[in-house]
Amino acid sequence: VGYLDDTPVVLIDLDAVDRNIARMQEGASAKGFRLRPHIKTHKLPFIAHRQLAAGAVGICCQKLGEAEVMAAAGIRDIFVTFPIVGRPKWQRAARLASEISLSVAADSLPSVQGLSDALAEGSEIGVLVDCDIARWRTGVASPEDALELAQAVESLPGLRFSGLTTHPLPEEAIEWFAQARSLFDAAGIEIPAISRGGTPEAAEATPIEGVPSELRVGTYVYGDRALLGAGIMPLEDCAMRIHATVVSTPAPERAILDAGSKTLTSDLADGLTDGLFGEIVGYPEPRIEMLSEEHGHVDLSARPGAFEVGQAVEILPNHACGVTNLHSTVTLHRSGVPVGPIEVAARGRIR
Amino acid sequence: VGYLDDTPVVLIDLDAVDRNIARMQEGASAKGFRLRPHIKTHKLPFIAHRQLAAGAVGICCQKLGEAEVMAAAGIRDIFVTFPIVGRPKWQRAARLASEISLSVAADSLPSVQGLSDALAEGSEIGVLVDCDIARWRTGVASPEDALELAQAVESLPGLRFSGLTTHPLPEEAIEWFAQARSLFDAAGIEIPAISRGGTPEAAEATPIEGVPSELRVGTYVYGDRALLGAGIMPLEDCAMRIHATVVSTPAPERAILDAGSKTLTSDLADGLTDGLFGEIVGYPEPRIEMLSEEHGHVDLSARPGAFEVGQAVEILPNHACGVTNLHSTVTLHRSGVPVGPIEVAARGRIR
């Protein structure tokens, strides 16, 4: 994209985005999943609307603040996949629920009790009970605990039990959910949906039989070095690139870029062990081996003198979601044809 | 700071900031350094003005975009410590130089040639030749190269050779600069200043004899876990804390906070090898052992059940500068007495 010469800048190829949206939607629909993309990757209402137009049933947000931005942009069905804890958040959730169809994940009684207390007459929030099947993050520990929390939800004014949710979905989940279904059946509670997340396993995912299944995926929309490295997305579909400039070549085996951890994050690429901070597209040998805050340190040992001051480079980032959250704007294009800059409206909405 | 209950939020204790500013200024002045604080740590004109009021001769910025924000806030003497490369940046630097006293670091001929070409009649930019003494980032490789670039600067319209700059300052720098001074003397060029950077070594730093010396330091203003761990700052002077909430306790030995890499960064603490992502103040045993984007994973093995859902915690971050760059606002207080939120005006100014 030669029209951009002030760097560093984050470029998003809308053609690649559209391909990624279409492919994921087709795959999900073909298998009987309802697709609910996670907007944490792009934080752009513009792209969320494209995901909905392609057939998504709604969106996911990680934090309430993201959901508030998306609701203000006209999105009507949002699942906040994060525990809502504390009076300010219960009140914000209640306000949001009076405007849109809101559901949230929950794994504790205080969280759902607080939500119910904050809700105004006539408002409703859907609650998906978060299940800690992979034993790594949030969620209730057992199918018995899931039932207990679902029963509490059902008993609380304004709350509607909306299903079970987990991330990721390990093999033992099949057995876990089978047990849960027996328990819920015996208790006379229907499980309205099972929701699962994660781009890396989306291609292999199949719905749990007999229950409406939702698929939550985020990173597929942009792709990154982690997904490329895992063989899940080809380079040409990786829509996010950082254009940077070589600003110094202090030694033949070292070049310095104007993109450091404040541009690329310090995130490593999930699943890769090379310890690099991104890939310079078209240059397999130069290695981004270290970042200062504003400097990218490139090891040119394998190609001494390969870069010169002023040269433009294009970086495939390790982790698209982290990069999105650093930048107030990104610049859209279509296969190199400029579209223009756009504000990352939900950037930094961590509350 | 009990008045804040929506989390995560970045708190800055202005009392600690004022102590840090006064201590560094006193130490620098006593040793004969001119102090030029780096604003990359706070990105707040409000604090930059306090640093100047305490006696700083000017400020440093890493990127031109930061300098533009600080100039718009009334700051008149700025050193941009980063190579200025590419026509858009040369033009921006020239515009800035028509408004304030601007100096920049340079280590290549194209960079200074471009600057000179962009300058309007009557405008001037100071150039400090960047010296790669520690062999790690930017800078010219030898005193001979430094002289050659200084002579080029002197010959270019609008540019003024303003000294030598380096970061950090290893032991061999003494010899390096002594050699440079002989060479520059022989060539009849005065070295107007030597500028060096880095909070970790500031306490031990002494000026190079016979040349006006500037000290560039950033992180001292807030402190962080890296400086605490290095024994450079006590906890009570670490002005930046993140208030977070325990949102889930899925197992006795695991708690989840509402602060992940989008709140704390993925930066590790320079010099520490424990691999942790921050310290929970008052809780030496719970370990922030992993971050998701919005989740902080706390290992409670050493104190099972120590945390409960809804509990507030205070985190000392690994790296203050990275945290600053994530947050659109931070909240100021004085030893717990609220002052209020303030916009991080230079956040995300990576160009």
Side-chain angles (χ1 to χ4, degrees), chain A residues 64-65 68 87-97 351, chain B residues 6:
Chain A
L64 264 183
E68 288 163 345
R87 188 173 311 272
K89 291 211 174 53
W90 293 324
Q91 291 169 343
R92 288 167 57 202
R95 281 197 294 274
L96 199 55
R351 278 187 282 278
Chain B
D6 204 355

Side-chain angles (χ1 to χ4, degrees), chain A residues 6-8 40 63 89 92 107 132 137 248 250 254 258 266-267 292-293 319 326 328 347 351, chain B residues 6-8 40 63 89 92 107 132 137 248 250 254 258 266-267 292-293 319 326 328 347 351:
Chain A
D6 204 355
T7 60
K40 73 190 176 79
K63 293 287 182 86
K89 291 211 174 53
R92 288 167 57 202
D107 68 358
D132 183 28
R137 206 158 72 180
S248 174
R254 179 174 11 125
D258 60 357
S266 299
D267 294 358
S292 306
E293 289 164 45
H319 183 204
L326 288 173
S328 299
R347 193 215 74 74
R351 278 187 282 278
Chain B
D6 204 355
T7 61
K40 73 190 177 75
K63 293 287 183 84
K89 290 211 175 52
R92 287 166 58 201
D107 69 357
D132 183 27
R137 204 158 74 181
S248 174
R254 181 177 5 130
D258 59 357
S266 300
D267 294 0
S292 305
E293 288 163 46
H319 183 203
L326 287 173
S328 299
R347 194 216 74 74
R351 280 189 282 277

Side-chain angles (χ1 to χ4, degrees), chain A residues 1-2 11 54 60 153 164 183 187 214 263 309 316 342:
Chain A
V1 185
L11 295 182
C60 300
V153 165
L164 304 177
L183 284 171
E214 285 201 1
T263 297
V309 169
L316 177 68
I342 187 171

